[in-house]
Amino acid sequence: MGLQWELAKKYLHYYFTAGNRHDVHSPFVYTLVDEILRDKKKPAAFKEIEQVRKSLLKSDETLQVTDLGAGSLINSGTERKVRDITRNAAKPAKYGQLFYRLIKYYEPEYLLELGTSMGMSTSYMAKADPTAKVITIEGCPNIAARAAQNFKALQLHNIKQYIGNFDTVLPTVLEDVPRLDYVYIDGNHRSAPTLQYFEQCLGKAHNESLFIFDDIHWTPDMEAAWHTIQQHPRVTFTIDLFFIGLVFFRPDMKIKQHFILKY
Protein backbone atom coordinates (compact mmCIF):
# COMPACT_ATOMS: atom_id res chain seq x y z
CA MET A 1 0.00 0.00 0.00
CA GLY A 2 2.94 2.32 0.72
CA LEU A 3 4.23 2.14 -2.85
CA GLN A 4 0.77 2.85 -4.26
CA TRP A 5 0.36 5.86 -1.97
CA GLU A 6 3.76 7.25 -2.98
CA LEU A 7 2.90 6.78 -6.65
CA ALA A 8 -0.44 8.55 -6.17
CA LYS A 9 1.29 11.52 -4.52
CA LYS A 10 3.81 11.73 -7.38
CA TYR A 11 1.00 11.60 -9.93
CA LEU A 12 -0.88 14.46 -8.27
CA HIS A 13 2.28 16.57 -8.39
CA TYR A 14 2.76 15.67 -12.06
CA TYR A 15 -0.89 16.42 -12.88
CA PHE A 16 -0.75 19.93 -11.45
CA THR A 17 2.71 20.86 -12.76
CA ALA A 18 3.01 19.16 -16.20
CA GLY A 19 3.01 21.39 -19.24
CA ASN A 20 0.91 21.36 -22.40
CA ARG A 21 1.55 22.22 -26.04
CA HIS A 22 1.73 25.94 -25.24
CA ASP A 23 4.74 25.26 -23.02
CA VAL A 24 6.64 23.62 -25.89
CA HIS A 25 8.86 25.73 -28.16
CA SER A 26 10.30 22.88 -30.23
CA PRO A 27 8.37 22.53 -33.55
CA PHE A 28 9.00 18.77 -33.54
CA VAL A 29 7.58 18.30 -30.03
CA TYR A 30 4.70 20.73 -30.66
CA THR A 31 3.68 18.66 -33.69
CA LEU A 32 3.94 15.45 -31.66
CA VAL A 33 1.67 16.92 -28.98
CA ASP A 34 -0.82 18.42 -31.43
CA GLU A 35 -1.09 15.55 -33.90
CA ILE A 36 -0.51 12.52 -31.67
CA LEU A 37 -1.13 13.21 -27.98
CA ARG A 38 -4.23 15.31 -28.65
CA ASP A 39 -5.67 13.11 -31.40
CA LYS A 40 -9.10 11.88 -30.25
CA LYS A 41 -10.05 9.77 -33.27
CA LYS A 42 -11.12 6.19 -32.54
CA PRO A 43 -10.35 3.82 -35.45
CA ALA A 44 -12.28 0.54 -35.68
CA ALA A 45 -9.17 -1.32 -34.47
CA PHE A 46 -9.56 0.31 -31.04
CA LYS A 47 -13.00 -1.21 -30.55
CA GLU A 48 -11.79 -4.67 -31.67
CA ILE A 49 -8.94 -4.69 -29.16
CA GLU A 50 -11.06 -3.30 -26.34
CA GLN A 51 -13.66 -6.03 -26.95
CA VAL A 52 -10.90 -8.59 -26.30
CA ARG A 53 -9.89 -6.69 -23.16
CA LYS A 54 -13.53 -6.75 -21.94
CA SER A 55 -13.71 -10.52 -22.35
CA LEU A 56 -10.42 -10.94 -20.46
CA LEU A 57 -11.70 -8.76 -17.61
CA LYS A 58 -14.72 -11.06 -17.28
CA SER A 59 -12.71 -14.27 -17.47
CA ASP A 60 -12.62 -16.73 -14.55
CA GLU A 61 -9.66 -18.55 -16.10
CA THR A 62 -6.54 -18.91 -13.95
CA LEU A 63 -2.92 -19.25 -15.03
CA GLN A 64 0.19 -20.55 -13.32
CA VAL A 65 2.49 -17.55 -13.49
CA THR A 66 6.26 -17.27 -13.57
CA ASP A 67 7.17 -13.70 -12.60
CA LEU A 68 10.72 -12.88 -13.65
CA GLY A 69 10.49 -9.15 -13.00
CA ALA A 70 9.93 -6.95 -10.00
CA GLY A 71 6.47 -8.40 -9.52
CA SER A 72 3.24 -6.52 -9.02
CA LEU A 73 2.05 -4.08 -6.44
CA ILE A 74 -1.29 -5.91 -6.48
CA ASN A 75 -0.70 -9.56 -7.28
CA SER A 76 1.41 -12.12 -5.48
CA GLY A 77 1.59 -15.89 -5.64
CA THR A 78 1.97 -18.18 -8.63
CA GLU A 79 -1.68 -18.67 -9.61
CA ARG A 80 -3.48 -15.63 -10.96
CA LYS A 81 -6.78 -14.96 -12.63
CA VAL A 82 -6.64 -13.75 -16.22
CA ARG A 83 -8.93 -10.86 -15.31
CA ASP A 84 -6.56 -9.74 -12.53
CA ILE A 85 -3.51 -9.90 -14.80
CA THR A 86 -5.41 -7.88 -17.39
CA ARG A 87 -6.59 -5.31 -14.86
CA ASN A 88 -3.25 -4.83 -13.12
CA ALA A 89 -0.54 -5.64 -15.67
CA ALA A 90 -2.01 -4.68 -19.05
CA LYS A 91 -1.50 -1.03 -19.99
CA PRO A 92 -4.75 0.99 -20.06
CA ALA A 93 -6.37 1.65 -23.43
CA LYS A 94 -5.22 5.27 -23.67
CA TYR A 95 -1.57 4.17 -23.79
CA GLY A 96 -2.12 1.37 -26.31
CA GLN A 97 -3.97 3.89 -28.44
CA LEU A 98 -1.09 6.33 -28.08
CA PHE A 99 1.29 3.62 -29.30
CA TYR A 100 -1.02 3.03 -32.27
CA ARG A 101 -0.93 6.73 -33.20
CA LEU A 102 2.85 6.97 -32.72
CA ILE A 103 3.35 4.01 -35.07
CA LYS A 104 0.92 5.43 -37.64
CA TYR A 105 2.81 8.72 -37.56
CA TYR A 106 6.44 7.56 -37.49
CA GLU A 107 5.96 4.34 -39.51
CA PRO A 108 8.57 2.14 -37.76
CA GLU A 109 9.26 -1.18 -39.49
CA TYR A 110 11.01 -3.15 -36.74
CA LEU A 111 9.33 -2.99 -33.33
CA LEU A 112 10.39 -4.66 -30.09
CA GLU A 113 8.41 -5.05 -26.88
CA LEU A 114 9.85 -6.40 -23.63
CA GLY A 115 6.90 -7.69 -21.61
CA THR A 116 3.93 -9.03 -23.59
CA SER A 117 1.51 -9.64 -20.71
CA MET A 118 -1.97 -10.23 -22.21
CA GLY A 119 -0.83 -8.61 -25.46
CA MET A 120 -3.03 -5.52 -25.37
CA SER A 121 -0.23 -3.06 -26.16
CA THR A 122 1.25 -5.55 -28.62
CA SER A 123 -2.08 -5.69 -30.42
CA TYR A 124 -2.29 -1.92 -30.76
CA MET A 125 1.26 -1.88 -32.12
CA ALA A 126 0.53 -4.65 -34.62
CA LYS A 127 -2.82 -3.22 -35.72
CA ALA A 128 -1.26 0.18 -36.44
CA ASP A 129 0.72 -1.25 -39.36
CA PRO A 130 0.12 -4.85 -40.50
CA THR A 131 3.36 -4.67 -42.57
CA ALA A 132 5.50 -3.82 -39.53
CA LYS A 133 7.40 -6.60 -37.77
CA VAL A 134 6.43 -6.70 -34.08
CA ILE A 135 8.70 -8.76 -31.83
CA THR A 136 7.53 -9.32 -28.26
CA ILE A 137 9.22 -11.13 -25.37
CA GLU A 138 7.37 -12.56 -22.35
CA GLY A 139 8.96 -14.34 -19.40
CA CYS A 140 5.97 -16.48 -18.46
CA PRO A 141 5.05 -19.26 -20.94
CA ASN A 142 1.40 -19.45 -19.82
CA ILE A 143 0.86 -15.70 -20.16
CA ALA A 144 2.54 -15.76 -23.57
CA ALA A 145 0.24 -18.59 -24.67
CA ARG A 146 -2.82 -16.66 -23.51
CA ALA A 147 -1.62 -13.57 -25.38
CA ALA A 148 -1.21 -15.72 -28.51
CA GLN A 149 -4.91 -16.61 -28.27
CA ASN A 150 -5.72 -12.91 -28.21
CA PHE A 151 -3.56 -12.26 -31.28
CA LYS A 152 -5.37 -15.06 -33.11
CA ALA A 153 -8.78 -13.64 -32.13
CA LEU A 154 -7.69 -10.27 -33.53
CA GLN A 155 -6.28 -11.90 -36.70
CA LEU A 156 -2.84 -10.44 -36.15
CA HIS A 157 -0.15 -12.08 -38.27
CA ASN A 158 2.79 -9.69 -37.91
CA ILE A 159 3.75 -10.58 -34.31
CA LYS A 160 6.68 -12.84 -33.46
CA GLN A 161 6.67 -14.09 -29.87
CA TYR A 162 9.69 -15.09 -27.80
CA ILE A 163 9.39 -16.70 -24.36
CA GLY A 164 11.98 -16.58 -21.61
CA ASN A 165 14.08 -14.36 -19.39
CA PHE A 166 14.91 -11.08 -21.14
CA ASP A 167 18.55 -11.50 -20.10
CA THR A 168 18.92 -14.63 -22.22
CA VAL A 169 16.36 -14.02 -24.98
CA LEU A 170 17.12 -10.38 -25.83
CA PRO A 171 20.66 -10.98 -27.18
CA THR A 172 19.28 -13.64 -29.54
CA VAL A 173 16.54 -11.30 -30.76
CA LEU A 174 19.02 -8.48 -31.33
CA GLU A 175 21.21 -10.76 -33.44
CA ASP A 176 18.27 -11.47 -35.75
CA VAL A 177 16.87 -7.96 -36.22
CA PRO A 178 18.57 -5.53 -38.65
CA ARG A 179 17.65 -2.44 -36.63
CA LEU A 180 15.21 -1.20 -34.00
CA ASP A 181 12.90 1.61 -35.04
CA TYR A 182 10.64 1.39 -31.98
CA VAL A 183 11.26 -0.21 -28.58
CA TYR A 184 8.80 -0.53 -25.70
CA ILE A 185 10.37 -1.71 -22.44
CA ASP A 186 7.65 -2.88 -20.04
CA GLY A 187 9.09 -5.56 -17.86
CA ASN A 188 11.21 -6.17 -14.77
CA HIS A 189 10.77 -2.61 -13.38
CA ARG A 190 14.18 -2.49 -11.72
CA SER A 191 16.85 0.05 -12.51
CA ALA A 192 19.86 -2.17 -13.30
CA PRO A 193 18.07 -4.53 -15.77
CA THR A 194 16.21 -1.61 -17.39
CA LEU A 195 19.51 0.18 -18.06
CA GLN A 196 21.03 -3.07 -19.30
CA TYR A 197 18.20 -3.58 -21.84
CA PHE A 198 18.46 0.06 -22.88
CA GLU A 199 22.20 -0.26 -23.56
CA GLN A 200 21.71 -3.53 -25.45
CA CYS A 201 18.96 -2.09 -27.65
CA LEU A 202 21.02 1.03 -28.35
CA GLY A 203 23.27 -1.14 -30.52
CA LYS A 204 20.42 -1.45 -33.05
CA ALA A 205 19.01 2.09 -32.60
CA HIS A 206 19.40 4.93 -35.10
CA ASN A 207 18.66 8.66 -35.21
CA GLU A 208 14.95 8.13 -35.95
CA SER A 209 14.37 5.42 -33.34
CA LEU A 210 11.84 5.87 -30.56
CA PHE A 211 12.27 4.11 -27.21
CA ILE A 212 9.40 4.01 -24.69
CA PHE A 213 9.89 3.08 -21.03
CA ASP A 214 7.00 2.00 -18.83
CA ASP A 215 6.43 2.99 -15.19
CA ILE A 216 9.30 5.48 -15.01
CA HIS A 217 8.01 6.78 -11.66
CA TRP A 218 7.08 3.33 -10.25
CA THR A 219 9.79 3.47 -7.55
CA PRO A 220 12.76 5.71 -6.73
CA ASP A 221 14.88 2.95 -8.31
CA MET A 222 13.01 3.28 -11.63
CA GLU A 223 13.19 7.08 -11.43
CA ALA A 224 16.96 6.77 -11.09
CA ALA A 225 17.04 4.63 -14.24
CA TRP A 226 14.93 7.22 -16.09
CA HIS A 227 17.29 10.04 -15.08
CA THR A 228 20.30 7.99 -16.22
CA ILE A 229 18.63 7.37 -19.60
CA GLN A 230 17.88 11.10 -19.97
CA GLN A 231 21.55 11.94 -19.47
CA HIS A 232 22.87 9.38 -21.97
CA PRO A 233 24.99 11.11 -24.64
CA ARG A 234 22.97 9.63 -27.51
CA VAL A 235 19.63 10.82 -26.09
CA THR A 236 18.72 14.27 -27.44
CA PHE A 237 15.33 14.75 -25.80
CA THR A 238 12.74 12.95 -23.70
CA ILE A 239 9.05 13.36 -22.93
CA ASP A 240 7.76 12.36 -19.49
CA LEU A 241 4.04 11.43 -19.55
CA PHE A 242 4.33 10.10 -15.98
CA PHE A 243 3.33 6.48 -16.58
CA ILE A 244 5.57 6.23 -19.63
CA GLY A 245 8.61 8.07 -20.93
CA LEU A 246 9.48 8.68 -24.60
CA VAL A 247 13.14 8.80 -25.64
CA PHE A 248 14.41 10.28 -28.91
CA PHE A 249 17.85 10.31 -30.53
CA ARG A 250 17.31 12.93 -33.22
CA PRO A 251 20.55 14.86 -33.91
CA ASP A 252 18.60 17.88 -35.24
CA MET A 253 17.74 18.70 -31.60
CA LYS A 254 20.88 20.73 -30.91
CA ILE A 255 20.25 21.15 -27.19
CA LYS A 256 19.34 18.22 -24.93
CA GLN A 257 15.81 18.87 -23.65
CA HIS A 258 13.42 17.06 -21.31
CA PHE A 259 9.70 17.80 -21.37
CA ILE A 260 7.08 16.89 -18.77
CA LEU A 261 3.73 16.97 -20.54
CA LYS A 262 0.21 16.30 -19.38
CA TYR A 263 -1.46 13.26 -20.93
Side-chain angles (χ1 to χ4, degrees):
M1 193 67 183
L3 278 174
Q4 288 175 292
W5 173 239
E6 286 302 317
L7 196 63
K9 285 197 294 184
K10 288 178 194 173
Y11 180 76
L12 283 173
H13 180 263
Y14 156 82
Y15 184 83
F16 289 110
T17 58
N20 56 39
R21 61 180 174 163
H22 302 297
D23 301 305
V24 171
H25 303 294
S26 159
F28 178 87
V29 180
Y30 185 94
T31 301
L32 187 151
V33 174
D34 211 40
E35 298 190 22
I36 302 173
L37 294 187
R38 290 170 57 87
D39 185 354
K40 303 298 183 189
K41 294 191 292 292
K42 300 283 187 183
F46 290 9
K47 187 174 182 180
E48 293 173 35
I49 296 168
E50 290 311 309
Q51 282 298 119
V52 171
R53 189 195 302 266
K54 279 182 186 175
S55 69
L56 294 171
L57 287 169
K58 292 176 182 174
S59 174
D60 289 323
E61 183 184 355
T62 60
L63 298 176
Q64 289 297 127
V65 171
T66 308
D67 193 342
L68 301 175
S72 167
L73 293 181
I74 309 295
N75 287 321
S76 60
T78 56
E79 187 170 277
R80 297 183 194 163
K81 285 185 165 57
V82 163
R83 63 168 176 258
D84 292 335
I85 297 169
T86 306
R87 185 178 298 109
N88 300 315
K91 212 70 188 150
K94 69 180 284 187
Y95 295 100
Q97 291 166 10
L98 173 59
F99 300 159
Y100 180 98
R101 294 194 297 270
L102 285 165
I103 292 160
K104 280 284 187 189
Y105 192 84
Y106 292 117
E107 300 181 332
E109 186 180 352
Y110 293 97
L111 296 82
L112 171 65
E113 175 186 52
L114 301 189
T116 316
S117 189
M118 287 288 113
M120 296 295 94
S121 295
T122 330
S123 298
Y124 276 110
M125 290 158 57
K127 279 280 189 186
D129 182 359
T131 67
K133 297 165 182 65
V134 179
I135 300 161
T136 185
I137 308 174
E138 171 57 46
C140 174
N142 293 332
I143 289 179
R146 192 62 184 80
Q149 292 179 40
N150 299 331
F151 302 151
K152 187 175 180 181
L154 289 164
Q155 298 182 305
L156 295 169
H157 307 293
N158 57 330
I159 298 171
K160 186 170 184 180
Q161 288 185 272
Y162 287 83
I163 301 167
N165 192 311
F166 299 162
D167 295 351
T168 52
V169 176
L170 182 57
T172 302
V173 170
L174 293 175
E175 281 179 16
D176 292 341
V177 71
R179 66 178 188 276
L180 290 174
D181 305 314
Y182 178 108
V183 176
Y184 175 41
I185 297 181
D186 175 21
N188 200 299
H189 296 89
R190 284 186 289 241
S191 176
T194 297
L195 293 173
Q196 178 187 323
Y197 307 144
F198 170 60
E199 290 285 355
Q200 287 177 289
C201 291
L202 271 181
K204 291 295 176 91
H206 52 85
N207 290 344
E208 308 299 314
S209 295
L210 167 59
F211 282 24
I212 301 175
F213 291 85
D214 189 58
D215 286 331
I216 56 174
H217 295 288
W218 174 271
T219 59
D221 186 52
M222 279 299 292
E223 288 183 322
W226 175 241
H227 293 315
T228 300
I229 290 162
Q230 287 181 310
Q231 299 311 312
H232 193 280
R234 281 189 64 185
V235 172
T236 55
F237 75 98
T238 64
I239 298 176
D240 179 342
L241 301 178
F242 191 79
F243 288 107
I244 61 171
L246 311 184
V247 175
F248 295 85
F249 307 92
R250 302 176 67 91
D252 50 324
M253 304 289 283
K254 303 297 183 188
I255 303 169
K256 190 186 282 277
Q257 295 181 76
H258 307 300
F259 302 92
I260 301 173
L261 300 176
K262 193 171 289 182
Y263 181 63

